[in-house]
Amino acid sequence: MGYAETIVYVGPPELAESIVRTLSEAGLSVSLASGLREALELCVSSQPGLVITEMQLPGGSGLELLEELRVDTGAAWMPVMVLLSEDRKSTRLNS
């Protein structure tokens, strides 16, 4: 395909639809995960070029996803974009 596959998990479905549409129009292949466990499974199986995650996930948090990707799967190289729908300084600093 020429582009790295992108795994996307975003809380609100309307935001996920917008992200999928925009990335697909740019020629990227997009996979959606419904929560923390599925996102981890997709990351391990497909080795995406980018992971986009919301902080609040079913089954965990975006920070847990980051920690597990970095330590448990050995995917320390995998770039991650964290979307914040809240404006708390502590949340921004932790991510």
Side-chain angles (χ1 to χ4, degrees):
M1 161 172 245
Y3 289 100
E5 185 170 352
T6 302
I7 291 183
V8 177
Y9 174 83
V10 180
E14 61 276 2
L15 186 53
E17 291 172 15
S18 173
I19 289 173
V20 168
R21 182 178 55 254
T22 301
L23 294 176
S24 295
E25 288 172 358
L28 295 166
S29 174
V30 181
S31 299
L32 294 176
S34 61
L36 177 65
R37 290 291 135 215
E38 186 179 359
L40 286 169
E41 290 170 11
L42 282 171
C43 287
V44 170
S45 66
S46 67
Q47 298 291 302
L50 175 66
V51 177
I52 302 172
T53 183
E54 178 70 53
M55 284 301 294
Q56 300 300 318
L57 304 175
S61 73
L63 290 178
E64 288 177 86
L65 176 61
L66 290 171
E67 289 170 1
E68 292 207 33
L69 285 175
R70 299 299 185 243
V71 177
D72 294 342
T73 66
W77 60 269
M78 197 174 294
V80 177
M81 178 186 297
V82 178
L83 302 177
L84 300 173
S85 58
E86 55 186 69
D87 190 25
R88 291 196 333 232
K89 185 176 182 178
S90 63
T91 302
R92 290 192 314 262
L93 291 174
N94 286 333
S95 59

